[in-house]
Amino acid sequence: MPLDGLFTHALVHEFNEKLVGGRITKVHQPYANEIVLVVRQNGQNYPLLLSAHPTYARAQITYIPYENPQTAPNFVMFLRRYLEGAKLQKIEQVANDRMINFYVNARDELGDVQEIRLTIEMMGRHSNIFLVRESDARILELIKHVPADQNRVRSLMPGARYILPPEQHKLNPFTNDLTDLATMILDQQVEAWPAYIQATYQGFSRDSAKALTRAIDTTGDRIQHAKNWLAAFDQPKPTLFHSDQGNLSYAAIDWLQDFATKQHFDSLGIMLDAYYVGKAERERVNQQAGSLVRVVKNELKKNNTKKKKLLATLTDAENADALKVMGDLLITYPHLVTKGMTSVAIENYYDNNKLLNIPLDPKLNGLKNAEKYFNKYRKLRTAVNYVNTQLALTTAEIDYFNNIVAQLEVASPKDVADIRIELMNGGYIRTTKKSKQKPKISKPDRFESSDGTLIEVGKNNLQNERLSLKQADRRDIWLHVQKIPGSHVIIHSPQPSETTLLEAAKLAAYYSKARQSANVPVDYLPAGKLRKPNGSKPGFVIFEGQQTLYVTPEPDLIARLKIKS
């Protein structure tokens, strides 16, 4: 089920139960199109995520920790002035549409109380979040400014009057008596019911309309079936459906669905976290890491091309002795060559006097052609050492950028910033005046094993280096997948249990390029045995005396062990 008007109805019901009457204690904007309001109610904090993301727009109580930027954006600074410390008076849905109003009473510059409305419109790429003064419907600020030439229907800029999106002139199923369904049931075939429901009633997606059709296409009072089905949205039973193909779908209620398995959750927020944790996180990373991916791909392409040329030069060098033989024969029998000849056949005294055909430069005589072959021979022999050195450096660069690719595949948004800093420090990205300031490196992900032991996982090279070489006790156990790019994992215990060791190994396998593989080899040894060669890249270590475990990554283990900060 997409986030339609019916799901929004269920969300508002959950918000009214948990948030109304609470006080907004903090306002954050972790990402460009998303804000988080921390609402304290009955001694508990509820992080309310409002997202105007073009693909993943939604409103939910979230339990996923978010990393906030070091410098707060202008929009969140504006929200803090009006919302922090304010009491959440009421929450309302607009006409069973994908719009929610959050009302608070705030004081203006003169100290007078005024009603302020925070409105979220969850409408795909047109999604937006508005701060509106209720007395005159004036837009104080909004998360996306839309110039007049991009929206001629209504003005979406600060200072403009807030106007609702164009009406669709449909009925609200929660306030209507549903008599129109009787006409549909009598006059139309069942196959046409979903389209009729969508055209008549506000807030129905295609999936919702099909689900209502299945509910009323049974024996008994069909109108009452419809009323009962709608009433279930006031008592949500959040359900996540898993298909045989691995696809996910969700619904606010446990409706009939042609899926293999289903999973129930205690709240809509927890369910949405489970559904979006991978999708939305991956999208955020892709947005933030777009320029980094281009840099890494270009560096890989450049170094792979260089490696091919170096290998070709080595192949030529292996044939250098043949050039010396040709030069020796030409200098021994120069009289056999005259200018204008393109080749000559000479008995090769190095190979039982077999005739050897030697290509010639027609502009040169025999001695000059011999000198040319000797020059080529000396040049290739001299190049071998240089080429081998360059080949080692180029191969190391390819390994390094393959490691960066693996890190980006499992990165969270906070890790992307560290990778950007690393590439800047390495000279792969141009530094700016702002980037020259001393950066703050994010913290590794933290996990707690089944027996309570702390495990930390570095998600990028800067985290890996600090975790393994600076923060870990030399007796702590260090783990890494064998000969594959991946994260450094530290068990903060000198003698972990077998269970903790296996769980840490599975973490190492999951946060590596082998996360989709089975029986992944993971090396482990005390962190004190790690060594960093002089001049090596961040996060690069060497070691010996390791032991090896073979494990299969378990995505469910990650969610179960991760410590929520």
Side-chain angles (χ1 to χ4, degrees), residues 514-521 551-553:
R515 68 188 308 180
Q516 303 296 335
S517 305
N519 293 321
V520 179
V551 296
T552 299

Side-chain angles (χ1 to χ4, degrees), residues 260-302:
T261 60
K262 56 188 176 182
Q263 181 180 3
H264 297 301
F265 293 84
D266 293 334
S267 72
L268 294 169
I270 296 174
M271 182 193 69
L272 289 175
D273 277 347
Y275 179 81
Y276 282 110
V277 63
K279 296 174 180 287
E281 189 84 338
R282 193 73 250 146
E283 179 70 17
R284 294 186 189 107
V285 169
N286 290 340
Q287 285 183 345
Q288 296 184 17
S291 59
L292 301 188
V293 171
R294 287 192 294 273
V295 169
V296 172
K297 285 184 176 179
N298 288 338
E299 290 293 333
L300 277 173
K301 182 179 179 181
K302 180 178 71 176

Side-chain angles (χ1 to χ4, degrees), residues 28-286:
H28 300 297
Q29 187 176 351
Y31 307 107
N33 299 318
E34 300 175 340
I35 64 170
V36 175
L37 309 178
V38 179
V39 181
R40 187 159 184 82
Q41 171 73 310
N42 295 327
Q44 185 174 349
N45 289 333
Y46 294 97
L48 174 63
L49 170 68
L50 303 181
S51 174
H53 191 283
T55 307
Y56 303 114
R58 65 195 188 280
Q60 66 165 109
I61 297 170
T62 182
Y63 300 92
I64 298 175
Y66 291 90
E67 290 288 330
N68 296 307
Q70 295 183 27
T71 303
N74 290 334
F75 181 65
V76 77
M77 295 297 291
F78 202 93
L79 292 183
R80 286 172 179 173
R81 190 194 334 167
Y82 285 92
L83 301 182
E84 282 193 349
K87 189 176 181 181
L88 200 51
Q89 302 292 337
K90 59 180 178 178
I91 303 173
E92 295 179 344
Q93 181 184 16
V94 180
N96 203 46
D97 207 344
R98 294 163 294 169
M99 296 183 288
I100 305 175
N101 292 329
F102 300 84
Y103 294 89
V104 302
N105 288 336
R107 294 190 180 274
D108 59 17
E109 293 82 355
L110 300 177
D112 297 328
V113 176
Q114 57 180 340
E115 190 174 38
I116 300 294
R117 166 165 45 97
L118 186 66
T119 296
I120 178 169
E121 298 178 356
M122 301 170 286
M123 299 178 177
R125 62 189 181 90
H126 300 295
S127 300
N128 215 326
I129 301 172
F130 304 82
L131 188 68
V132 180
R133 186 169 57 207
E134 188 66 10
S135 60
D136 57 2
R138 192 68 56 195
I139 299 174
L140 301 175
E141 188 55 277
L142 66 168
I143 202 166
K144 297 180 186 176
H145 294 188
V146 182
D149 60 343
Q150 294 183 24
N151 191 323
R152 301 183 184 277
V153 178
R154 55 182 184 151
S155 180
L156 299 177
M157 295 292 287
R161 183 178 176 81
Y162 177 82
I163 300 173
L164 287 169
E167 288 189 41
Q168 295 181 320
H169 304 289
K170 297 180 182 180
L171 302 175
N172 185 338
F174 292 100
T175 58
N176 188 269
D177 60 8
L178 304 182
T179 53
D180 292 79
L181 286 180
T183 304
M184 176 194 76
I185 294 167
L186 292 173
D187 297 344
Q188 298 195 24
Q189 298 294 321
V190 173
E191 294 76 14
W193 289 3
Y196 180 91
I197 292 170
Q198 277 191 283
T200 305
Y201 295 100
Q202 181 74 38
F204 276 84
S205 64
R206 184 70 175 172
D207 288 346
S208 301
K210 287 181 177 179
L212 177 56
T213 296
R214 289 193 294 268
I216 61 180
D217 187 26
T218 55
T219 57
D221 187 337
R222 291 181 169 181
I223 299 298
Q224 189 59 47
H225 290 334
K227 291 180 179 179
N228 294 340
W229 187 85
L230 288 166
F233 285 89
D234 289 326
Q235 300 294 328
K237 189 175 182 180
T239 307
L240 198 61
F241 301 98
H242 301 256
S243 74
D244 291 330
Q245 292 75 36
N247 297 322
L248 291 179
S249 177
Y250 64 84
I253 61 176
D254 186 5
W255 61 31
L256 296 173
Q257 185 74 293
D258 296 329
F259 276 77
T261 60
K262 56 188 176 182
Q263 181 180 3
H264 297 301
F265 293 84
D266 293 334
S267 72
L268 294 169
I270 296 174
M271 182 193 69
L272 289 175
D273 277 347
Y275 179 81
Y276 282 110
V277 63
K279 296 174 180 287
E281 189 84 338
R282 193 73 250 146
E283 179 70 17
R284 294 186 189 107
V285 169
N286 290 340

Side-chain angles (χ1 to χ4, degrees), residues 443-457:
K443 296 179 180 179
D445 285 1
R446 292 159 58 87
F447 299 83
E448 186 177 341
S449 70
S450 299
D451 63 9
T453 304
L454 175 63
I455 303 171
E456 290 192 284
V457 178

Side-chain angles (χ1 to χ4, degrees), residues 374-429:
F374 285 135
N375 286 337
K376 286 183 179 180
Y377 167 74
R378 284 191 292 270
K379 185 176 181 181
L380 286 174
R381 295 304 300 174
T382 304
V384 169
N385 290 335
Y386 172 79
V387 170
N388 280 327
T389 301
Q390 289 298 309
L391 187 60
L393 292 173
T394 303
T395 301
E397 285 286 283
I398 292 172
D399 291 342
Y400 172 70
F401 283 107
N402 279 329
N403 188 43
I404 296 291
V405 169
Q407 291 173 358
L408 287 172
E409 288 176 355
V410 297
S412 61
K414 68 181 177 64
D415 303 318
V416 174
D418 292 349
I419 295 172
R420 187 182 301 277
I421 292 168
E422 180 186 343
L423 293 177
M424 283 181 177
N425 293 341
Y428 302 107
I429 296 179

